[in-house]
Amino acid sequence: MSTFTILLGGDLNRTPRLDRQVEGSRVIAADAGIGHARLLGLVPELWVGDFDSVPANLPDDLATVPRRTFPAEKDQTDGELAIAAALERGATSLVLAGAFGGKRADHAFLHLALALRLAEAGTDVLLTSGAQEGVPLLHGKAGFDYADGTLFSVLGFSELAGLTVTGAKWPLDHVKVAFGSSLTISNEVKGHLEIALDHGSAMLLAHPYPYPLPES
């Protein structure tokens, strides 16, 4: 498996869990995401974007990262272009760091939808802010390593059928969930979390770190 970390422009907190997730991966930065390289102690092999939001005072090892420049008026976001570059280089697994929050809610939503599309095509995807994680849920069963008490939600991107949640404070057994329902919001891990889905597409959103967040 070839894992790439894509540094996106959303909020990011450095945590021990995030350090483990990106360890040994190849790294590509999307425009302002290069700032997270300094936070994580990483040097990307490629920097992609239109470079309209480059952080000031980058150290030499980041300022000289090879660039792939695109016009400001284009049909893809810098993040999507960075992901495409990773796939071109053989990525089979992606960590989208900085995929939530930040100034652009539309970009955050795009990252969620794009992650689902990539997962459906066979690419493993993790979205993370360090404190919050997103994992696409496809047909079948998946298990997760979150500690007891971890807050999580299942966010449906369609009507869901045959949704089963075990290892949770509020388990579900083969239920149908209407699109837009809040039934699957704000659950807690209790034991070993497993989620199975017969039909539909969804995203697991989990908060592995309690508030306040650890210092970055």
Side-chain angles (χ1 to χ4, degrees), residues 6-10 28-30 32-34 36 78-80 82-83 96-99 111:
I6 308 299
L7 301 177
L8 300 169
I28 295 178
I34 194 77
H36 296 323
D78 295 329
E80 189 173 8
I83 289 168
L96 306 184
H111 298 149

Side-chain angles (χ1 to χ4, degrees), residues 1-8 21-22 25-28 79-80 82-97 114-115 117-119 122-128 134-136:
M1 179 176 290
S2 179
T3 300
F4 278 71
T5 295
I6 308 299
L7 301 177
L8 300 169
Q21 290 165 340
V22 304
S25 68
R26 297 170 66 178
V27 182
I28 295 178
E80 189 173 8
I83 289 168
L87 295 174
E88 289 172 8
R89 295 176 180 224
T92 56
S93 177
L94 296 170
V95 177
L96 306 184
L114 181 56
R117 177 163 65 85
L118 290 166
T123 302
D124 290 336
V125 185
L126 171 71
L127 304 93
T128 180
V135 181

Side-chain angles (χ1 to χ4, degrees), residues 31-50:
D31 209 331
I34 194 77
H36 296 323
R38 182 164 39 186
L39 172 70
L40 299 177
L42 301 173
V43 178
E45 64 184 66
L46 182 66
W47 189 4
V48 173
D50 53 27

